[in-house]
C-alpha cells in the first residue's frame, strides 16, 4: 500500500500550494478534469508520465473512502 504522503502534496513552493501528485508538478485537479471529460486513467498517465499509476489508484481509493464516510 502506498503511503498517504506519497499520493499528494501541497506546498507554497510548488504550484503556489495547489495539491499535486507527490514528486511532480501535476495538479490533482488535472486528473479530475481528464476523468470528467471522459478520458481514461491511461490517457492521463500518457500525458503526465511523472505520475505513477499507483498514485492515481491510491488517490481515487482515498476519495472513495471519504465519500463513503459522508454517506454512512
Amino acid at each position: 500500500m502506498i503511503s498517504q504522503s506519497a499520493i499528494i502534496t501541497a506546498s507554497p513552493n510548488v504550484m503556489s500550494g495547489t495539491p499535486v501528485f507527490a514528486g511532480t508538478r501535476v495538479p490533482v485537479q488535472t486528473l479530475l478534469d481528464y476523468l470528467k471529460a471522459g478520458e481514461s486513467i491511461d490517457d492521463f498517465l500518457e500525458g503526465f508520465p511523472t505520475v505513477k499509476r499507483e498514485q492515481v489508484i491510491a488517490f481515487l481509493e482515498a476519495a472513495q473512502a471519504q465519500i463513503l464516510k459522508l454517506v454512512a
Side-chain angles (χ1 to χ4, degrees), residues 21-33:
F21 285 97
T24 76
R25 295 178 61 81
V26 180
V28 172
Q29 185 62 49
T30 304
L31 170 64
L32 299 174
D33 292 343

Side-chain angles (χ1 to χ4, degrees), residues 3 10 12-13 30 39 65:
S3 71
N13 299 326
T30 304
E39 301 291 333

